[in-house]
Amino acid sequence: MKSIKERTRLLELDKKHLWHPFTQEQEWHNEPVLMIERARGNYLIDTEGKSYLDGVSSLWVTVHGHGKKELNDAIRAQLNKVAHTTLLGLSSVPSAALAARLAGITPKGLTRVFYSDSGSTAVEIALKVSFQYWDQVKEKNKKKKFIAFTGAYHGDTVGAMSVGEISGFVKKFQPLLFKAFRAPYPYCYRCPLDRTPKGCSMACLGEFESILKKHSESIAACIIEPLVQGAAGMITAPRGFLWGVRRLTKKYNVHLICDEVATGFGRTGKMFASEHENVRPDIMCLAKGITGGYLPLAVTLFTEEIYNAFLGAATSKKAFLHGHTYTGNPLACAAALASLDIFKDEKVLEGVVQKAALLRTLLRTLKKSAHVGDVRQRGLMAGVELVADKKTKKPFAPALRTGHRVCMDTRQYGLIIRPLGDTIVLMPPLSITESELREMVDIIGASLNRVLP
Ligand SMILES: Cc1ncc(COP(=O)(O)O)c(C=O)c1O
């Protein structure tokens, strides 16, 4: 806890020197700033000593809670050995050990691990490798394009934005981006094809196949957020959709990239969302929860077949010439190894399944609220979509910033959550307790009544 004088000074420093991500700074300067100083378990603690339930896992990363002893100890132990060393021309103990562990737990066939440091870089690497692969294995190769889905979000770097489609994020940068084919993601609540939810999955797969039928000769890879499109507003795909995408990408000889940056590491109740439909992608992107939410680390996993296409003599020009300075950072890899141990020792996945069932029950009460249009959930990731009119699903005017107002209100009552437009996102740490889950949903219910009486 800081003195009033110190708090005032720190807040001035923030307003004077910080530039916050995804933030209109002019508004930021007029709003009260919540400054976090410490954290314990599933709570963040501000400079005044007030506690807040971390309802978004510090942007979808915290897995086992804050200040987890095993993670702290693993990082300290690694710190006493070496904090950083490069993977360019060298290897390191935790980076080799983690690569093997990941190859052992990800869907069968993924054997090669390429490190980077964020979800966006993991996606860039996936796209570049697929592009180069076809160039090296196919004569007269035309496979130079990608297919992605409506509403997709894969990160903020230029390649990741090109396969993304959330207009607010990418529209401004359109002239910088390459064009991707776009197939409909089954957003049943606001069906992109105007179908009933029942036929939705098949209709979307039909659209997907017709693009592949026409253009697969020019498509290197398809990238998908398996089961849930997070940033689009927690859009949950009907069962069988992912499996259908895998079947069709195989049929038309197109790589499947599963972007599990948001869904990986237990979020949906299995270690990876692809497992729900027994899908084995050719390429998988992981980041966010990989270190338990402690340090920036990402990986892109590949099959041996893809890896082999990059082998050749030093002069063959077949190597993948890409890498980031902190690639495979030993501290981050040590944290990731310790996090995987916790998954096993504390039977984390079993806990997620139980807690997800409770969350489903709790969310039923929210669904009754006059301005809740839809509730979507997979495991411990959920979205509560607010609408002006429940019957017609008419959205609120964006200028009202309804989602934002609800989230600012919950803060007064000790819960930090963030909206995606007018969808309230619930993404608590997997370590959240049942009573904390109840507390979270109770606070949101009360805030809805206050903000939208
Ligand atoms: C599915 C998905 N891919 C990629 C990213 C980008 O990750 P990062 O913010 O670490 O670059 C995100 C971030 O939310 C994501 O949800």
Side-chain angles (χ1 to χ4, degrees):
M1 192 167 149
K2 300 260 181 266
S3 66
I4 294 182
K5 197 172 158 204
E6 182 61 358
R7 285 206 309 267
T8 312
R9 192 182 75 84
L10 285 165
L11 293 178
E12 275 170 15
L13 293 183
D14 174 289
K15 300 234 165 164
K16 198 160 173 207
H17 294 291
L18 255 178
W19 190 342
H20 293 263
F22 284 109
T23 301
Q24 175 42 261
E25 288 276 308
Q26 190 171 304
E27 304 242 339
W28 177 263
H29 291 164
N30 297 326
E31 281 189 350
V33 173
L34 174 52
M35 189 175 273
I36 301 301
E37 189 184 13
R38 291 173 295 126
R40 272 289 162 272
N42 303 314
Y43 287 85
L44 302 168
I45 303 160
D46 71 7
T47 47
E48 292 178 44
K50 256 181 93 183
S51 292
Y52 304 82
L53 192 51
D54 185 359
V56 283
S57 299
S58 296
L59 216 59
W60 312 1
V61 298
T62 313
V63 177
H64 312 293
H66 299 275
K68 183 80 177 167
K69 184 179 179 312
E70 291 83 346
L71 291 176
N72 293 358
D73 289 348
I75 293 169
R76 276 196 201 102
Q78 182 57 43
L79 198 50
N80 287 334
K81 294 175 188 159
V82 57
H84 182 67
T85 167
T86 182
L87 286 190
L88 277 69
L90 296 173
S91 188
S92 78
V93 174
S95 64
L98 179 61
R101 284 282 287 276
L102 291 172
I105 60 167
T106 46
K108 211 167 161 218
L110 297 169
T111 51
R112 293 285 165 177
V113 171
F114 197 101
Y115 286 109
S116 62
D117 29 50
S118 74
S120 306
T121 54
V123 167
E124 294 289 335
I125 288 160
L127 300 175
K128 283 178 72 175
V129 164
S130 178
F131 181 92
Q132 188 174 336
Y133 168 88
W134 291 113
D135 194 55
Q136 287 174 184
V137 301
K138 233 173 167 276
E139 266 184 38
K140 294 190 186 146
N141 172 45
K142 287 195 210 137
K143 284 180 168 296
K144 294 173 192 246
K145 295 188 175 153
F146 297 91
I147 181 163
F149 291 91
T150 50
Y153 178 73
H154 298 289
D156 299 334
T157 48
V158 169
M161 277 198 296
S162 300
V163 285
E165 207 221 7
I166 297 178
S167 65
F169 297 167
V170 301
K171 212 170 173 183
K172 277 249 157 66
F173 302 101
Q174 212 69 54
L176 286 180
L177 311 182
F178 57 79
K179 272 210 158 66
F181 292 103
R182 192 75 49 195
Y185 198 88
Y187 181 4
C188 300
Y189 179 65
R190 297 187 193 282
C191 178
L193 299 174
D194 249 348
R195 304 285 164 98
T196 59
K198 237 182 166 178
C200 186
S201 181
M202 286 305 111
C204 285
L205 282 176
E207 286 281 308
F208 180 62
E209 180 162 18
S210 62
I211 300 173
L212 289 183
K213 210 180 245 173
K214 241 181 164 171
H215 301 286
S216 66
E217 269 307 297
S218 65
I219 299 176
C222 162
I223 182 163
I224 187 168
E225 292 159 86
L227 262 56
V228 188
Q229 280 190 327
M234 300 293 148
I235 310 303
T236 48
R239 275 175 219 286
F241 181 71
L242 178 66
W243 188 85
V245 168
R246 171 69 288 191
R247 184 178 66 78
L248 292 169
T249 46
K250 265 215 176 105
K251 179 173 169 189
Y252 290 95
N253 200 22
V254 163
H255 285 149
L256 177 65
I257 304 169
C258 278
D259 175 355
E260 294 239 18
V261 168
T263 51
F265 298 100
R267 229 347 112 187
T268 64
K270 291 205 186 269
M271 200 59 161
F272 304 104
S274 311
E275 289 174 38
H276 286 278
E277 304 205 354
N278 291 323
V279 160
R280 294 182 193 168
D282 305 290
I283 302 173
M284 188 186 252
C285 305
L286 300 171
K288 289 205 183 276
I290 188 169
T291 61
Y294 266 55
L295 289 162
L297 182 74
V299 297
T300 315
L301 288 119
F302 300 94
T303 60
E304 208 63 10
E305 188 192 342
I306 293 178
Y307 174 77
N308 285 339
F310 289 75
L311 302 181
T315 50
S316 66
K317 297 193 174 146
K318 280 185 163 181
F320 182 49
L321 298 184
H322 182 113
H324 302 280
T325 307
Y326 281 97
T327 288
N329 172 261
L331 286 178
C333 290
L337 283 163
S339 172
L340 292 180
D341 288 341
I342 299 170
F343 265 101
K344 218 160 125 197
D345 297 345
E346 300 188 4
K347 297 190 169 64
V348 171
L349 295 179
E350 289 162 39
V352 173
V353 173
Q354 275 177 21
K355 292 173 206 172
L358 172 64
L359 181 61
R360 189 168 303 280
T361 310
L362 296 171
L363 288 175
R364 269 190 216 126
T365 40
L366 283 191
K367 206 166 180 179
K368 290 182 196 145
S369 167
H371 289 287
V372 172
D374 196 22
V375 172
R376 298 178 285 270
Q377 184 204 350
R378 259 311 171 94
L380 284 181
M381 62 194 300
V384 176
E385 188 165 333
L386 306 177
V387 289
D389 189 314
K390 205 173 173 107
K391 260 199 193 132
T392 60
K393 301 177 192 171
K394 186 176 161 224
F396 283 106
L400 293 176
R401 302 186 77 205
T402 307
H404 175 75
R405 284 189 292 127
V406 171
C407 294
M408 292 310 276
D409 188 82
T410 66
R411 276 193 193 181
Q412 314 289 327
Y413 298 86
L415 170 66
I416 293 179
I417 45 172
R418 265 181 74 82
L420 284 160
D422 283 340
T423 297
I424 308 292
V425 173
L426 284 79
M427 208 60 166
L430 305 190
S431 54
I432 193 164
T433 64
E434 296 199 345
S435 68
E436 288 164 351
L437 265 181
R438 285 198 174 87
E439 180 188 341
M440 182 170 80
V441 178
D442 282 351
I443 293 174
I444 294 172
S447 286
L448 288 178
N449 288 337
R450 271 188 300 273
V451 178
L452 305 166

